[in-house]
């Protein structure tokens, strides 16, 4: 792997690949009659280009036009790398919609039902959103609910992004794992909890670093996301939080 090789050896390997196969596309372009000035050909990892990139970043930083912040990416746990949006292949698959009861923080007898296709990500929920014009939930806006399993207290917020006709009309917000949730989190200043490690397993260290308490961290820490999904769904049902599951 590239990490086992180390940076220096990895760069050498890339250059060897470039010398072996990197000109293939250029030969194809020439065969097609593309009339570039081939004497100006450069490769991404040319030292000159690397210097130009560093220079550009430093200038942007010095002009206060560059900042570092948390953003969501498409992560491949197999390749251990980020993927551009254009590289992501979307496909439809049969799944389930779990309807989960989120109890009111100061009155567990009352609950808000949230529907989700990924119950494992509830470990990273930092809010539940409803549509501001949804008459069913007007009395809930501004209240706090207790997240099942973790016990974390999260607010009920109102955002027009929520689709009132989908699921229960109440949307769990996990800014650390959904692009739309991330945007909502930015609007409301919500915490972003990344619940997975680079292997897409539940990251116990991330929760311990947040001073989270509870034996659920040990139960789910290190579990693969699909395994965690089954275990969490089973616990929700066992503890009376699961209202129904819809294909």
């Amino acid at each position: 792997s590239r990490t086992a090789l180390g940076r220096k050896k990895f760069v050498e390997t890339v250059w060897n690949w470039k010398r072996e196969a990197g000109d293939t596309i250029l030969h194809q372009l020439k065969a097609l009659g593309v009339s570039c000035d081939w004497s100006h050909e450069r490769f991404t990892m040319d030292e000159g280009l690397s210097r130009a990139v560093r220079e550009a970043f430093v200038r942007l930083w010095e002009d206060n036009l560059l900042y570092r912040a948390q953003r969501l990416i498409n992560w491949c746990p197999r390749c251990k790398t980020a993927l551009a949006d254009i590289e992501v292949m979307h496909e439809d698959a049969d799944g389930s919609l779990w309807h989960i009861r989120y109890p009111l923080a100061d009155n567990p007898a009352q609950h808000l039902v949230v529907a989700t296709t990924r119950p494992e990500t509830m470990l990273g929920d930092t809010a539940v959103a409803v549509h501001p014009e949804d008459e069913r939930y007007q009395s809930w806006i501004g209240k706090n609910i207790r997240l099942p399993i973790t016990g974390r207290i999260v607010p009920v917020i109102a955002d027009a992004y929520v689709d009132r006709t989908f699921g229960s009309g109440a949307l769990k917000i996990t800014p650390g794992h959904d692009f739309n949730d991330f945007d909502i989190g930015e609007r409301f200043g919500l915490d972003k909890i990344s619940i997975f490690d680079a292997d897409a397993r539940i990251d116990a260290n991330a929760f311990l670093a947040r001073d989270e308490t509870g034996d659920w961290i040990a139960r789910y820490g290190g579990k693969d996301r699909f395994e965690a999904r089954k275990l969490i769904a089973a616990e929700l049902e066992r503890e009376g939080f699961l209202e129904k599951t819809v294909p």
Side-chain angles (χ1 to χ4, degrees):
S1 69
R2 67 182 189 280
T3 52
L5 282 173
R7 181 177 178 83
K8 183 177 179 181
K9 189 67 177 177
F10 172 71
V11 172
E12 290 178 6
T13 303
V14 172
W15 273 103
N16 289 335
W17 173 87
K18 195 270 182 183
R19 283 187 284 270
E20 178 183 332
D23 290 337
T24 301
I25 191 170
L26 297 181
H27 294 317
Q28 293 170 340
L29 291 170
K30 291 175 182 178
L32 289 169
V34 176
S35 56
C36 297
D37 182 351
W38 300 105
S39 65
H40 286 282
E41 178 204 341
R42 302 298 293 268
F43 176 51
T44 309
M45 298 180 77
D46 282 352
E47 182 58 31
L49 296 187
S50 296
R51 286 199 305 269
V53 169
R54 289 197 297 272
E55 176 69 23
F57 268 84
V58 170
R59 287 191 188 186
L60 288 167
W61 177 262
E62 290 177 343
D63 292 339
N64 200 31
L65 296 173
L66 190 70
Y67 68 97
R68 187 177 187 178
Q70 288 183 313
R71 299 293 301 182
L72 283 190
I73 59 171
N74 302 299
W75 177 258
C76 177
R78 180 179 64 86
C79 300
K80 302 292 189 298
T81 189
L83 301 176
D85 290 349
I86 198 172
E87 296 174 311
V88 176
M89 303 298 290
H90 293 272
E91 62 179 36
D92 293 329
D94 292 330
S96 298
L97 197 60
W98 284 267
H99 290 248
I100 307 168
R101 301 184 183 102
Y102 283 37
L104 188 63
D106 56 7
N107 184 4
Q110 291 184 294
H111 59 261
L112 194 62
V113 175
V114 173
T116 179
T117 59
R118 296 191 296 169
E120 72 281 5
T121 63
M122 69 182 297
L123 300 179
D125 284 359
T126 53
V128 169
V130 298
H131 195 283
E133 298 176 2
D134 194 330
E135 296 179 356
R136 297 171 295 176
Y137 302 121
Q138 291 300 303
S139 63
W140 285 85
I141 299 172
K143 293 184 177 180
N144 290 324
I145 56 178
R146 189 178 299 276
L147 192 63
I149 297 179
T150 73
R152 186 184 309 121
I153 303 297
V154 301
V156 179
I157 60 177
D159 193 276
Y161 168 77
V162 179
D163 183 352
R164 286 173 280 187
T165 65
F166 181 77
S168 65
L171 180 69
K172 62 190 285 301
I173 304 300
T174 317
H177 290 284
D178 181 272
F179 287 97
N180 295 310
D181 290 8
F182 181 92
D183 292 337
I184 293 174
E186 289 288 279
R187 290 197 287 273
F188 287 86
L190 300 176
D191 195 9
K192 306 175 185 67
I193 305 174
S194 179
I195 73 168
F196 295 123
D197 61 17
D199 295 310
R201 296 179 180 276
I202 303 297
D203 189 357
N205 292 326
F207 292 107
L208 292 172
R210 290 169 46 83
D211 295 324
E212 295 271 12
T213 58
D215 59 1
W216 63 272
I217 298 176
R219 287 202 307 277
Y220 296 113
K223 301 292 185 185
D224 174 79
R225 61 198 185 283
F226 298 119
E227 181 185 6
R229 181 176 302 175
K230 294 178 182 177
L231 293 173
I232 287 174
E235 179 172 349
L236 291 170
E237 183 171 24
R238 189 169 58 249
E239 297 298 325
F241 292 114
L242 187 62
E243 183 163 289
K244 61 181 178 179
T245 305
V246 181

